[in-house]
Amino acid sequence: MSVPTRRGAGLPVRRGTAVLAVVVGSALVLLLAAMTWVRADVRTVLASSELALSGTDAVPAVVGASLAAAAAALAVAIGGRWAATVGGVAIAGVGALAAGATVAFLTDPEAPALDAAAEMTGVAALDGAATLTPWPYATVAVGVLLALTGVVVVLAAPGWARVGRRFEWDASPAPAPGRAVAAGGPAAGGPAAGGPAAGGLAADGAVAGGTRPEVTERVQAMDDWDALGRGEDPSTPEAR
């Protein structure tokens, strides 16, 4: 559910748009981490085999950053302004973490490949140089965009209303129809009590106090619903 921003407070970015951007960004990071990031040949006893290392195996921190961004997006979606601000800071942090961890991998891609080769053959050696795929570079770009989205959330959160405020209702009991007129006398500018208008109202079938029968039935029906909401039986004399 999108909540409109308040004018003059924060960036004019809707909450739903920001949450969608974070969810899409975290999903892209998770998808890119599942792709092959580096390929290398390793020498086995019989022949040479190809080693394909995914981002999940090469940089496990990327997966954790993606899941943390998704959790922060939930906090931004359902929380108040302070929760959204904290969530934006977290999103910016995990986006920077994903990008930084991937850059560190790009500076030395053979290190995780050697570890994988040692698990595969028992010897930490490659038969040639390791080859990078485009996916780690794409992960760096998405991580940077995710971090920038977190900054946008922090700047836009002060202008977001609390979720559900438009659906809150006043639980104080409303005055019965005609009570205000009975307590304060005739309305300003209206005819005096007992005048021709009052007699005409009585002639039209109004009950004493100015309450129409259909209005009384409607109020009673509302009271019955309130009793059901409290777990009471509206048909008992105690609930009426």
Side-chain angles (χ1 to χ4, degrees):
M1 176 184 63
S2 298
V3 179
T5 58
R6 298 183 303 173
R7 295 181 179 179
L11 293 179
V13 178
R14 299 179 71 88
R15 184 194 296 262
T17 303
V19 172
L20 179 62
V22 175
V23 171
V24 171
S26 60
L28 283 177
V29 171
L30 192 61
L31 178 63
L32 291 171
M35 308 297 289
T36 300
W37 282 20
V38 60
R39 290 188 175 92
D41 293 331
V42 294
R43 177 69 62 179
T44 62
V45 177
L46 300 178
S48 179
S49 300
E50 184 184 55
L51 173 66
L53 194 63
S54 67
T56 302
D57 298 326
V59 189
V62 173
V63 178
S66 174
L67 298 178
L74 179 62
V76 173
I78 65 177
R81 289 189 292 270
W82 283 106
T85 301
V86 174
V89 173
I91 292 168
V94 297
L97 173 63
T102 307
V103 169
F105 161 78
L106 291 174
T107 58
D108 187 15
E110 290 190 357
L114 289 173
D115 294 338
E119 294 180 2
M120 182 178 179
T121 63
V123 179
L126 302 177
D127 191 10
T131 303
L132 288 172
T133 64
W135 306 123
Y137 299 99
T139 304
V140 173
V142 176
V144 171
L145 292 177
L146 195 59
L148 293 178
T149 304
V151 174
V152 171
V153 169
V154 172
L155 297 178
W160 292 341
R162 185 165 58 89
V163 175
R165 177 172 295 177
R166 294 183 300 170
F167 303 98
E168 293 179 353
W169 62 288
D170 188 4
S172 59
R179 182 175 298 174
V181 176
L201 180 61
D204 289 339
V207 299
T211 304
R212 296 175 181 270
E214 59 270 17
V215 174
T216 304
E217 294 176 1
R218 184 162 59 250
V219 172
Q220 184 60 52
M222 295 171 64
D223 292 340
D224 292 344
W225 276 109
D226 292 339
L228 289 173
R230 295 192 300 269
E232 301 175 357
D233 185 3
S235 62
T236 59
E238 291 79 2
R240 294 187 176 271

